[in-house]
Each structure stands twice: as C-alpha cells, then as structure tokens.
C-alpha cells in the first residue's frame, strides 16, 4: 500500500481489530453490514466484541506468535483504543497495513508530544509544562499558576492518571500519589462548555466531519452528548477546521475525535484543543442512530479505501451513557418513545464502567410553505 496506490478492500475481506471493548464491537457490526468480516484480538476472554465476530484471538499483546497468526488471517488491521503497545504495532505493521498508521500513536499516546504537535500547527491549547520531578513540578506551578491539572503523559483516560492541584495542596504528596516519573502540568481552563468533533479522513485526503457535539461529564466520565452543540455556526466551522487541519497534518486514515474547550475571549468565544483520540469515540455514539452514517461505518469505509459518506443529522440528538448500576434500569429506557438502547454485553456493572448508552433523536417539525 502506498499513498498513490492505497489498499482497497472488497466485500468478503477481513479486518483485524485490536481491542475487544464496545468500540470494537460496534466497529465489527458496522463492517458486517458492509459485507466485511472482522477478527478481534484482545487479551480479555470476556471481551464484548467477541460476541459479534466469528473469529477471535484471545492473547496478550506481547505474544509475538499470536500476533503473527492474527496478521496472517486478516487483510488490514485497525484498533479501538490508542494504547496499543508500540512493539505490538510494529510487529503487525511489518506484516499487514495498520490504519491509522502506528506512527500516529507515538504522538497521541504521549500528552506532551500531542500538545507540542497541536501548538506547532498554530492551534491553541491550555498552557502546559513537562514535569519529571517534584522540583520541576514546583517550577511548573510557579510559571503556570494554580489551579492546574497534573496528568501522566501516558495511559490516562476517564479521569484516571490525573489530579487537580489547588492553592494549599502539597505538590510533593500529589506527585507521589500520581506514581509516575513522566507527567505534564496543564493550566486549569474555566471553560464555557466542552465540545468535540468527530472527523473521518480517507487515504486520498477527503475529510468529512460530523456536527459538533457538546459534552457533559460526571466524575470525569462522559455522561451526555448533544448534537448540535449550542455554539454559533462560525465557531462550529472553526472547530471542524481544527479537526481537519489535525487529521491532514497526521496524514490520518480513519476516524478521530478532537476534544475542545470553548472559553471566553475578549473578541468572543475561542477554542482550545484538549485532547486528540485517534479512534472512534464515545462522544460520537449519537451518530449510530442520529445520522445518515455512523462514525463506525465511516471508519470502516476509510480504512477499506471506500468513499466516505456525507453525514446528515436526522434531528437534535442526545446520547446518554449508562454507567455502572444505571444499566439495571435498561427496561425503563426501552419504554421511552424515540429512544434507542445499546447494551454492550459486558459482565457485572462496576462504578465508572460504561455498560451501554441510549440515543434519543428529537423529531424535526416539517417546514410549512
């Protein structure tokens, strides 16, 4: 596969998916509707994605033999989470195309590298500093000020691997509690709202963005997403432009999410990039029922070398995550008119565990001539 001659799958070909969570499950379901097969690789025998594919590999990501056999049985490889071990991605990429390109993970797996990359594109972020010791943490606090957020550079998600530092807190204790030698301190942003853009890019450079989504979190976990976001058309266009610029600079193939803060500015609201997720994303789940094409199908089309769809939203959409014990209330959601329930087939609910989601699409009143 080259830029001039990208890989193009045909119905009946097989996509390998690294990761067996709900994102892998929904990717495999989208692929099946297009006549494409999927094989899932995951170390967890209870992976919900295993339930929707004929073939699966349950092995550790460090199992070289299992990785090689997996690659031999698929035509192309993608992933549902960004923390794929670099060594595993390298082994697979030597045998089959891996999309998005594994080199992108080197940027997006490291919060410092990601922030540097975004800044180099001329896109705004919160102020930040590299932190590798208590002394460098104190120096970063002196420069950035408090409150601030200390995050591990790698592997954090849903609020894990981070801590807010406020006036009066003990930086040394917070550093010890974070238990890392590699972190980043970010200025705390008093944002007006959090938004995200789900963008797809083809190997040929075509970019299609879904409508900008507004997100609300509870205990650092996404609880509700609404599309469209309650922002001006001009700001929404700017957000989509940022996502397109990032996808193009990465030479990205597939779906990515760009999370942004809307903050007050002297000339009106402005945008700061918070994080990039090089995969399908929780804040894009509304597209399953609320748009003419889902983020999952869009990702499959992109990596398969097929034309991207032009997303058309069906109406105002709300996506609600069912977290932990909230899954036990699924029957009530089944009785709500206009609601579509998605249950992920996971085991016992745990606090903070995403067990499913519900999509509600509001009807659009017909225009009267």
């Amino acid at each position: 596969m080259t830029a001039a001659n990208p890989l193009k799958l045909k119905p009946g070909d097989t996509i390998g998916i690294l990761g067996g969570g709900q994102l892998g499950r929904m990717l495999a379901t989208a692929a099946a509707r297009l006549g494409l097969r999927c094989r899932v690789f995951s170390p967890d025998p209870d992976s919900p994605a295993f339930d929707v594919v004929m073939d699966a590999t349950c092995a550790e990501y460090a199992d070289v033999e299992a990785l090689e056999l997996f690659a031999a049985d698929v035509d192309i490889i993608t992933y549902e989470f960004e923390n794929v071990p670099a060594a595993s991605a390298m082994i697979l990429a030597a045998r089959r195309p891996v999309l998005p390109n594994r080199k992108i993970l080197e940027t997006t797996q490291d919060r410092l590298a990601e922030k540097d990359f975004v800044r180099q594109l001329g896109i705004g972020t919160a102020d930040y500093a590299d932190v590798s010791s208590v002394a460098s943490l104190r120096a970063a606090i002196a420069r950035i000020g408090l409150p601030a957020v200390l995050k591990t550079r790698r592997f954090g998600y849903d609020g894990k691997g981070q801590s807010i530092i406020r006036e009066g807190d003990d930086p040394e204790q917070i550093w010890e509690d974070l238990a890392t030698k590699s972190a980043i301190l970010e200025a705390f942003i008093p944002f007006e709202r959090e938004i995200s853009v789900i963008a797809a890019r083809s190997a040929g450079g075509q970019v299609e963005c879904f409508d900008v989504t507004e997100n609300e979190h509870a205990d650092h976990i996404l609880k509700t997403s609404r599309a469209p976001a309650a922002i001006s058309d001009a700001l929404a266009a700017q957000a989509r432009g940022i996502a397109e610029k990032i996808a193009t600079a990465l030479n990205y193939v597939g779906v990515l999410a760009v999370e942004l803060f809307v903050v007050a500015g002297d000339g009106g609201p402005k945008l700061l990039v918070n994080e990039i997720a090089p995969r399908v994303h929780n804040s894009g789940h509304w597209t399953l029922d609320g748009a003419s094409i889902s983020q999952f199908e869009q990702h499959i089309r992109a990596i398969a070398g097929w034309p991207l769809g032009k997303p058309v939203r069906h109406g105002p959409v709300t996506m609600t995550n069912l977290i932990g014990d909230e899954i036990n209330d699924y029957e009530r959601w089944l009785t709500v008119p206009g609601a579509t329930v998605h249950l992920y087939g996971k085991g016992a609910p745990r606090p903070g565990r995403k067990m499913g989601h519900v999509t509600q699409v509001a009807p659009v009143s017909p225009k009267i001539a």
Side-chain angles (χ1 to χ4, degrees), residues 11-13 15 17 24-38 296-297 300-301 303 306:
D13 285 345
I15 297 170
I17 300 174
R25 181 185 178 105
M26 289 182 271
L27 281 170
T29 302
R33 197 172 67 79
L34 297 175
L36 293 162
R37 298 184 174 96
C38 287
F296 302 98
E297 180 177 335
I300 296 298
R301 288 193 190 196
I303 65 172
W306 295 8

Side-chain angles (χ1 to χ4, degrees), residues 197-202 205-211 240 243-244 247-248 254-256 293 295 298-299 301-302 307-312:
V197 180
I198 306 296
R201 185 177 183 274
S202 70
Q206 177 190 2
V207 178
E208 294 290 349
C209 294
F210 290 88
D211 284 336
R240 292 192 297 270
E244 181 171 353
T248 300
V255 163
L256 61 74
I293 185 170
Q295 65 167 341
Q298 199 79 299
H299 182 80
R301 288 193 190 196
L308 299 181
K310 179 72 69 173
V312 178

Side-chain angles (χ1 to χ4, degrees), residues 193-196 212-216 224-231:
R193 62 190 78 240
E194 293 178 272
I195 63 172
S196 59
V212 180
T213 306
E214 185 168 337
N215 304 307
E216 295 179 7
T224 305
S225 291
R226 295 182 177 87
I231 58 177

Side-chain angles (χ1 to χ4, degrees), residues 44 69 90 110 136 141 145-146 148 176 192 197-198 221 229 257 263 265 268 272 274-275 290 296 300 319 343 368:
D44 182 1
L69 291 172
M90 187 177 299
D110 184 326
S136 61
I141 290 172
L146 294 178
E176 289 181 7
E192 293 181 351
V197 180
I198 306 296
I221 301 172
V263 298
L272 298 177
N274 180 29
E275 290 185 353
F296 302 98
I300 296 298
M319 187 283 299
L343 307 180
I368 301 175

Side-chain angles (χ1 to χ4, degrees), residues 25-63:
R25 181 185 178 105
M26 289 182 271
L27 281 170
T29 302
R33 197 172 67 79
L34 297 175
L36 293 162
R37 298 184 174 96
C38 287
R39 185 181 186 98
V40 173
F41 189 111
S42 173
D44 182 1
D46 296 322
S47 294
F50 286 173
D51 296 340
V52 300
V53 295
M54 291 291 290
D55 300 303
T57 299
C58 187
E60 296 297 326
Y61 292 114
D63 188 332

